[in-house]
Amino acid sequence: MTTTDLKGTAHEAREHLERLAAQLEAHAFQVRLSAPSGLYPRLRVINPLAPSVTEDVLAADSADGEWYFWLSWAGRIGHASDIVTAAERIASVLHVIRR
């Protein structure tokens, strides 16, 4: 893969994460999109009711060219075209039971 290919892939990953960020913000989660040098972009998702409860989400393409969202511990969330389901699954990971 060339540097140009890698930049294009990172750009597409960022676009998917931006769409997911908007959906998560609509559900009152805090989000921070970052693109550390030399790494794929990542979306930090924070539960505002328990700020220590966070998860990093990545978007990556598979061998067949389809894009998926992934949790930082390599848990596949779902297809990048299904933002609503991905947001619901992330919310369930970051859910805190109120006492």
Side-chain angles (χ1 to χ4, degrees):
M1 181 176 279
T2 67
T3 303
T4 303
D5 291 340
L6 187 57
K7 285 181 182 177
T9 302
H11 177 74
E12 190 167 352
R14 184 178 185 95
E15 289 177 347
H16 288 296
L17 291 171
E18 286 171 347
R19 290 185 307 111
L20 180 60
Q23 183 70 27
L24 288 165
E25 286 178 325
H27 289 283
F29 283 94
Q30 296 171 350
V31 296
R32 290 187 201 129
L33 184 59
S34 66
S37 181
L39 298 174
Y40 266 56
R42 59 198 64 238
L43 183 66
R44 168 70 47 105
V45 184
I46 304 160
N47 182 329
L49 299 176
S52 64
V53 180
T54 67
E55 183 59 59
D56 285 342
V57 177
L58 297 106
D61 59 335
S62 61
D64 63 1
E66 296 293 317
W67 281 82
Y68 293 90
F69 292 115
W70 296 83
L71 296 169
S72 61
W73 39 273
R76 189 161 88 178
I77 299 166
H79 201 276
S81 66
D82 189 356
I83 297 294
V84 172
T85 299
E88 289 172 355
R89 289 179 180 165
I90 293 165
S92 71
V93 168
L94 297 178
H95 179 72
V96 174
I97 299 172
R98 295 184 191 159
R99 296 185 188 261

